[in-house]
Amino acid sequence: DAMVIQNPRYQVTQFGKPVTLSCSQTLNHNVMYWYQQKSSQAPKLLFHYYDKDFNNEADTPDNFQSRRPNTSFCFLDIRSPGLGDAAMYLCATSGPGAGVLDTQYFGPGTRLTVL
Amino acid sequence: AQTVTQSQPEMSVQEAETVTLSCTYDTSESDYYLFWYKQPPSRQMILVIRQEAYKQQNATENRFSVNFQKAAKSFSLKISDSQLGDAAMYFCAYRSSGGATNKLIFGTGTLLAVQP
């Protein structure tokens, strides 16, 4: 089945140690999103790619970076994780190719723990 | 800027009964989309139902329906014949109609418990 896949599902890192989260999709969607969701809070958009065009939210810290080497993959890099970065990170996609244009399809998330 | 408010942090319903989750939003736009997403515990977020603001008819998807009141900026979700599998966090979300990318603005969510 076409889907959004996130690896790993659980990631533990140390304070200040760079970490990379991965997202892949088989939906052939041209837009990919990264959200941060802290406990009992709503998902907060960090940035998104429209094809290769990167769009950063104004309040996304510089500590967060992203790469999209091709249509299928997108990475979230946290350069120096702090305790406040512990959260669930959700990847989502949207676009033509499957389903309704306006709908975002979410992956299962990666839960990041910072020690 | 648009905002979405869900005033019920937690709700509970008996199995087979009906429950309504509330959502209000604030916008100056006339055309937009509204969504309800469901996030079960430790599982991924999935779309439950969507509504286009230009449509007066309320959206319905099987046991799920919405009451869309544009003038009041209200978008409630009704779940009929509740099932144990409906237990989840429910998020209301807003999206502007303009632009190539559909940035979602989420409410804070309502945690729904279904009692057997």
Side-chain angles (χ1 to χ4, degrees):
Chain A
D1 290 342
M3 58 174 56
V4 181
I5 302 163
Q6 291 188 244
N7 286 305
R9 294 291 308 277
Y10 300 90
Q11 176 73 58
V12 180
T13 190
Q14 292 181 334
F15 183 95
K17 185 176 181 180
V19 65
T20 295
L21 309 183
S22 170
C23 177
S24 63
Q25 54 127 341
T26 60
L27 296 161
N28 200 33
H29 284 170
N30 58 334
V31 189
M32 295 187 76
Y33 309 79
W34 280 105
Y35 290 87
Q36 179 191 63
Q37 185 180 23
K38 295 189 175 180
S39 181
S40 302
Q41 295 185 20
K44 178 181 178 298
L45 183 65
L46 295 174
F47 27 60
H48 70 272
Y49 276 93
Y50 184 84
D51 292 325
K52 294 184 179 180
D53 294 333
F54 177 72
N55 298 272
N56 200 32
E57 292 300 299
D59 56 354
T60 297
D62 293 339
N63 197 26
F64 292 87
Q65 304 285 320
S66 186
R67 296 170 284 135
R68 189 178 186 187
N70 53 53
T71 300
S72 300
F73 285 87
C74 194
F75 300 99
L76 170 61
D77 301 309
I78 308 176
R79 294 191 296 185
S80 181
L83 298 179
D85 297 328
M88 177 74 83
Y89 289 87
L90 302 174
C91 176
T93 72
S94 71
V100 178
L101 180 64
D102 306 292
T103 300
Q104 289 190 21
Y105 294 84
F106 286 82
T110 294
R111 182 166 297 283
L112 177 68
T113 300
V114 181
L115 302 177
Chain B
Q2 297 84 17
T3 59
V4 177
T5 301
Q6 293 178 251
S7 59
Q8 305 155 316
E10 297 182 11
M11 291 282 285
S12 182
V13 63
Q14 291 291 129
E15 198 175 4
E17 296 295 312
T18 296
V19 64
T20 298
L21 308 184
S22 301
C23 174
T24 59
Y25 58 94
D26 189 27
T27 184
S28 58
E29 299 175 333
S30 59
D31 198 15
Y32 47 86
Y33 298 89
L34 296 165
F35 304 84
W36 279 98
Y37 277 88
K38 169 185 177 182
Q39 189 177 37
S42 301
R43 295 181 63 185
Q44 67 197 86
M45 195 173 312
I46 58 172
L47 178 69
V48 175
I49 198 165
R50 64 192 289 270
Q51 174 82 41
E52 293 90 338
Y54 62 85
K55 290 186 177 179
Q56 293 187 342
Q57 186 174 5
N58 289 324
T60 299
E61 289 287 343
N62 300 313
R63 297 182 295 107
F64 298 88
S65 62
V66 298
N67 183 5
F68 173 50
Q69 301 290 327
K70 191 172 184 179
K73 297 179 182 175
S74 172
F75 182 61
S76 61
L77 174 69
K78 185 172 81 171
I79 306 174
S80 304
D81 186 25
S82 296
Q83 301 175 0
L84 295 178
D86 295 333
M89 181 71 85
Y90 286 82
F91 290 99
C92 178
Y94 172 102
R95 179 222 158 184
S96 298
S97 65
T101 58
N102 51 349
K103 173 181 176 179
L104 289 173
I105 299 169
F106 287 92
T108 51
T110 296
L111 183 62
L112 178 66
V114 180
Q115 308 299 330

